[in-house]
Amino acid sequence: MLIFNKKTDFFMNSQFIRLVVLSICLFLSVPFVTAYEKPLQSVLLPESVNQGLTYMLSLAYPENIKKLDLTVFEKVIGFVLTKKDKNILYYSDMQSEASSAFHEYEVNRNLKHFLDHKFNPNIPHFILSPSSLRLSYWKEVNGKKQTQPDFSSMFASLKDHAVVTGIEHEEITPDINSGAYYGYDLLRTFILMKYQGRPALISITKQKNISAVGKKGVILGKDDNWDYFYSGQNGTTLPGLGWINSYMYDSYSVSVFIEMGSGTSTLVRCGIFKWLRAGWADINMVQSKHIYQGLHRYSDTVKKILEHSSLPALDKMAEVFSGIKAFSEEELRIKIRNYTEKLYKKYINENSNGISLIAEALKDSSYFNQMDIYQMQSALAVEYMKTLMGKN
């Protein structure tokens, strides 16, 4: 007979638990076939870059901003600007308990366009990354409860640099491997600056606390359909391991967005350094390749949306999102039920696991009652983006 208590050491002494952990590790070590997967050579980031990243990550804490030294950023930004072998996966060993990966991409628009859409107080941040983020919203800015500042306006009047700190809440979409999704708070610092005359934005994040327990989510159809179901039930969708309570224990990131070129050839080079520790029983199940896949998943979507030729004017998009916020809670619950029923009908013959979870939710009104305002608004916002991108 197995007896469980809260001590990890006791858990790990159980042969049964060891077998479960081994099963998870084996599952996660098997390559998941995605559009982002290719054999990569792992290479450690240069020590000078690691030193710069260590300093930059410290700036996630507002009290450290008082000692801001932009010259320390130079090695990191310089690395982002260098030409690299696309067959190499760069990683950092500065956080020994967390896995890491670096990924870069380019958006063929100028930095103002990038800021206007990605960091606009009237446009939800998450709608440019619907394959990665279920939702996000600011809980605090510069020590006060207020919405995200207008980075585009700050950029237009930028002389030297500008700093914004705050706390942002995020919930991610279902993980490609485990189906689990998580909610957590981030300490976030933005620094608008110029590097050798080029406008740049630096984004630094640090997970504030351990995430909420992972919940069962389902990717319906192809991942780039952006059709996801969030069951609200604790666990994963791994075969035979649905009962596992997993967590995101910690995450860090440093992102560099810098304008390059001029005129019609202007673009934004984006480089993301990310660290993640997540799993079960305080064991990190994440590998660098999983982070790399996740960053690819994120950046491909951001690039497609920002470069889309038929994006409406900013005021039109803001008007739609304002209309979504204006719905009452009762109206939102009716719309979300209708939306869920349409998901069910769309995928009834394609995903048995997901369909069973949706069917269970539709039979029980408590599923819709437990969703909060942000979760319901985000689903409608993403549906709007699907329409703009021709996915509906």
Side-chain angles (χ1 to χ4, degrees), residues 299-316:
S299 63
D300 282 3
T301 305
V302 171
K303 180 177 174 67
K304 286 176 183 177
I305 294 176
L306 286 176
E307 293 181 354
H308 198 272
S309 59
S310 301
L311 278 183
L314 288 169
D315 57 352
K316 174 61 178 176

Side-chain angles (χ1 to χ4, degrees), residues 96-376:
S96 60
E97 294 184 350
S99 301
S100 69
F102 168 79
H103 172 60
E104 68 181 28
Y105 63 104
E106 294 179 346
V107 175
N108 293 308
R109 296 289 186 271
N110 60 28
L111 189 60
K112 185 180 185 305
H113 178 92
F114 189 90
L115 296 174
D116 282 344
H117 291 81
K118 188 165 174 58
F119 300 107
N120 188 319
N122 300 313
I123 297 176
H125 174 205
F126 62 86
I127 57 91
L128 292 187
S129 47
S131 63
S132 302
L133 287 177
R134 179 189 189 184
L135 61 85
S136 65
Y137 57 87
W138 285 71
K139 300 174 74 173
E140 184 179 295
V141 177
N142 293 333
K144 299 178 181 179
K145 292 185 177 180
Q146 63 186 66
T147 58
Q148 175 180 310
D150 188 343
F151 286 102
S152 187
S153 296
M154 294 170 64
F155 172 72
S157 59
L158 185 67
K159 294 182 179 179
D160 180 22
H161 71 274
V163 178
V164 175
T165 64
I167 299 173
E168 188 174 17
H169 180 76
E170 288 187 347
E171 291 184 26
I172 61 173
T173 57
D175 177 74
I176 288 178
N177 294 288
S178 69
Y181 64 95
Y182 307 88
Y184 49 86
D185 285 349
L186 288 175
L187 298 174
R188 183 182 282 277
T189 295
F190 284 113
I191 302 170
L192 267 174
M193 59 177 288
K194 291 187 177 181
Y195 174 79
Q196 298 180 353
R198 301 174 180 179
L201 174 70
I202 309 298
S203 170
I204 301 164
T205 69
K206 163 72 174 71
Q207 193 171 311
K208 188 178 179 184
N209 298 301
I210 187 172
S211 73
V213 63
K215 293 180 168 55
K216 297 178 182 179
V218 181
I219 300 172
L220 296 162
K222 295 180 180 179
D223 186 45
D224 62 3
N225 290 347
W226 307 342
D227 285 338
Y228 307 109
F229 179 70
Y230 304 88
S231 73
Q233 301 176 16
N234 294 354
T236 75
T237 53
L238 293 171
L241 300 173
W243 53 272
I244 288 175
N245 286 338
S246 61
Y247 298 88
M248 281 179 57
Y249 297 110
D250 210 353
S251 64
Y252 310 77
S253 74
V254 173
S255 301
V256 176
F257 309 100
I258 184 164
E259 187 172 284
M260 301 174 64
S262 61
T264 56
S265 61
T266 301
L267 57 84
V268 177
R269 170 75 63 82
C270 311
I272 306 175
F273 305 84
K274 186 175 180 64
W275 296 259
L276 178 60
R277 186 168 71 89
W280 176 83
D282 206 29
I283 301 172
N284 182 30
M285 302 296 183
V286 179
Q287 299 176 25
S288 291
K289 68 178 182 180
H290 300 138
I291 300 175
Y292 184 82
Q293 288 175 356
L295 292 175
H296 245 301
R297 185 188 191 196
Y298 162 82
S299 63
D300 282 3
T301 305
V302 171
K303 180 177 174 67
K304 286 176 183 177
I305 294 176
L306 286 176
E307 293 181 354
H308 198 272
S309 59
S310 301
L311 278 183
L314 288 169
D315 57 352
K316 174 61 178 176
M317 295 179 71
E319 181 182 348
V320 172
F321 295 125
S322 177
I324 291 174
K325 287 184 178 180
F327 288 130
S328 69
E329 187 170 334
E330 181 180 357
E331 288 174 318
L332 284 171
R333 297 201 190 284
I334 292 172
K335 291 179 181 297
I336 292 301
R337 173 175 278 279
N338 290 339
Y339 163 72
T340 306
E341 289 174 347
K342 289 180 179 180
L343 273 184
Y344 179 80
K345 292 177 182 178
K346 182 176 180 180
Y347 291 102
I348 189 168
N349 296 319
E350 296 185 29
N351 193 308
S352 58
N353 186 31
I355 286 302
S356 63
L357 286 172
I358 298 176
E360 183 179 342
L362 289 172
K363 291 179 182 177
D364 186 357
S365 60
S366 65
Y367 169 77
F368 300 98
N369 293 333
Q370 56 87 30
M371 294 181 72
D372 65 32
I373 293 291
Y374 294 108
Q375 292 169 341
M376 293 187 288

Side-chain angles (χ1 to χ4, degrees), residues 1-15:
M1 179 178 179
L2 293 171
I3 301 175
F4 296 84
N5 64 21
K6 296 182 179 180
K7 295 183 178 179
T8 302
D9 288 344
F10 183 91
F11 277 131
M12 298 314 298
N13 287 331
S14 165
Q15 184 178 3

